Amino acid sequence: MERIDRKPTAVQIMALYLLVLTIPALGQVARPSSKPRTKRTVVVSVLDRKLAVLEDGDVIATFPVAVGAESSPSPTGEFQIVSRVSNPTYYKPGTVIPSGKDNPVGTRWVGLSQKGYGIHGTNAPRSIGHAASHGCIRLRNRDMEKLFTMLRVGDVVQIHGERDDEVAETFGEYEEVADAGTEQGAGQ
């Protein structure tokens, strides 16, 4: 019998190479991180016109905000985040505004468990620091984009209409905010 010498082809060598690289990956199991992300709490002070993000009781970020106008106050109490939307479309009876510079809710929307209310950006940045919205909590778009990355569905949002010990501890000494109470901007 005659012996036939076969040399592997380039395709066979490449297939073997890929198989060798793949075998170690097959033995790896995705494991959750040893320290799961702690739920964060958002604290909003209507009087201070500020929002703080807390993790394990420590303030990790604060932002100036606009809150509900006198005629359409922000709801107070404890809520949960139920949705997160990048580049949202604004809907109001008879009006639909696609994402973009004219959108009154800005570039990000974080929906709360109280239907119709949320935390969002704005197309009226001069309204920040005032009681100017239709009840939602507004931030400048750049601040909202940063906040958006910090929050997840299920995180808690506490909106305080009065100063209490928790608000004082979170935001420090109260500085009265001068506000004519007029509505500014078109958004929520």
Side-chain angles (χ1 to χ4, degrees):
M1 269 207 142
E2 194 175 310
R3 185 168 166 216
I4 301 175
D5 230 0
R6 286 191 173 170
K7 290 187 179 183
T9 67
V11 172
Q12 291 171 325
I13 291 172
M14 184 59 81
L16 182 60
Y17 178 72
L18 290 174
L19 182 62
V20 169
L21 290 176
T22 305
I23 288 174
L26 295 175
Q28 296 176 3
V29 177
R31 291 182 179 84
S33 124
S34 60
K35 185 178 178 189
R37 180 189 166 283
T38 305
K39 279 193 175 183
R40 293 183 171 155
T41 301
V42 174
V43 177
V44 176
S45 171
V46 172
L47 292 176
D48 291 284
R49 315 282 198 265
K50 291 182 183 175
L51 176 152
V53 180
L54 282 68
E55 185 174 86
D56 297 325
D58 296 322
V59 175
I60 61 172
T62 60
F63 302 96
V65 298
V67 297
E70 189 176 325
S71 62
S72 54
S74 298
T76 58
E78 185 168 296
F79 310 96
Q80 283 200 321
I81 294 174
V82 295
S83 65
R84 299 170 69 248
V85 181
S86 291
N87 301 313
T89 298
Y90 175 76
Y91 298 96
K92 178 176 132 177
T95 307
V96 176
I97 302 174
S99 63
K101 67 181 178 66
D102 295 328
N103 190 312
V105 296
T107 61
R108 302 289 184 275
W109 168 269
V110 172
L112 302 180
S113 53
Q114 173 118 0
K115 187 175 169 77
Y117 291 93
I119 303 169
H120 60 78
T122 183
N123 65 347
R126 285 190 230 142
S127 69
I128 304 305
H130 300 280
S133 78
H134 294 110
C136 289
I137 306 301
R138 286 186 199 164
L139 287 82
R140 289 181 183 89
N141 285 332
R142 69 176 176 267
D143 289 344
M144 187 60 207
E145 289 168 8
K146 182 175 180 183
L147 176 65
F148 191 83
T149 66
M150 303 172 83
L151 303 179
R152 298 288 174 260
V153 168
D155 287 344
V156 173
V157 176
Q158 300 171 351
I159 302 177
H160 296 263
E162 298 177 6
R163 288 204 46 98
D164 57 20
D165 291 341
E166 183 181 5
V167 170
E169 186 177 324
T170 302
F171 297 104
E173 231 176 279
Y174 177 65
E175 296 175 29
E176 192 167 341
V177 178
D179 192 8
T182 59
E183 291 193 32
Q184 297 181 13
Q188 288 268 331

